[in-house]
Amino acid sequence: MKSDEFIVGVDVGGTKILSVVVNNEFEIVSRCRKKTKGWVKDTNPENKIIQTIEESVEQAGNPKIVGIGIGAPGPVDPKKWDCHKHSKSWLGKFSYCRYPLKTFCRSCCIG
């Protein structure tokens, strides 16, 4: 990774979503944390994840993002990059990587 390239890491949990931007030495340059509120029916989890990523990237000065890693709860469909249709997670069914891939970079990993 070059000195002007950065990676975003996202932790999607039951109580919070945390996003960090790291430099080529894996030092945290910025971070953003939002409460999940997974128990609230009308909360859109995809929007919370997007907002968290956008805010951490903006706080880092909008650097060139070359990859995003997402830690996600529950079973994930590795072919579609979304929550498994049988997941009982509060997240429901949506694509983890659709927005990050369209917006920031060409590489997104979930696990």
Side-chain angles (χ1 to χ4, degrees):
M1 195 162 71
K2 298 175 185 172
S3 63
D4 66 338
E5 296 177 333
F6 295 76
I7 294 174
V8 174
V10 183
D11 174 25
V12 180
T15 60
K16 61 135 175 61
I17 299 167
L18 176 67
S19 175
V20 296
V21 176
V22 297
N23 62 17
N24 66 326
E25 295 179 8
F26 300 102
E27 299 167 324
I28 296 174
V29 177
S30 70
R31 72 177 70 214
C32 180
R33 177 185 168 137
K34 293 199 176 290
K35 289 185 179 181
T36 304
K37 296 186 181 177
W39 60 90
V40 179
K41 295 272 187 206
D42 58 349
T43 300
N44 185 332
E46 191 169 273
N47 286 343
K48 285 266 191 189
I49 294 168
I50 291 165
Q51 289 171 354
T52 307
I53 293 170
E54 286 177 339
E55 287 181 29
S56 63
V57 170
E58 185 176 311
Q59 288 173 16
N62 294 307
K64 178 181 179 183
I65 303 298
V66 295
I68 295 179
I70 301 175
V76 175
D77 184 332
K79 292 181 184 175
K80 296 181 181 177
W81 294 339
D82 62 13
C83 294
H84 192 275
K85 65 182 178 182
H86 299 298
S87 174
K88 293 186 179 182
S89 165
W90 66 270
L91 293 165
K93 182 169 173 37
F94 71 91
S95 174
Y96 281 103
C97 291
R98 181 180 61 231
Y99 176 81
L101 288 173
K102 283 183 184 178
T103 308
F104 296 108
C105 61
R106 284 185 247 145
S107 178
C108 185
C109 225
I110 56 173

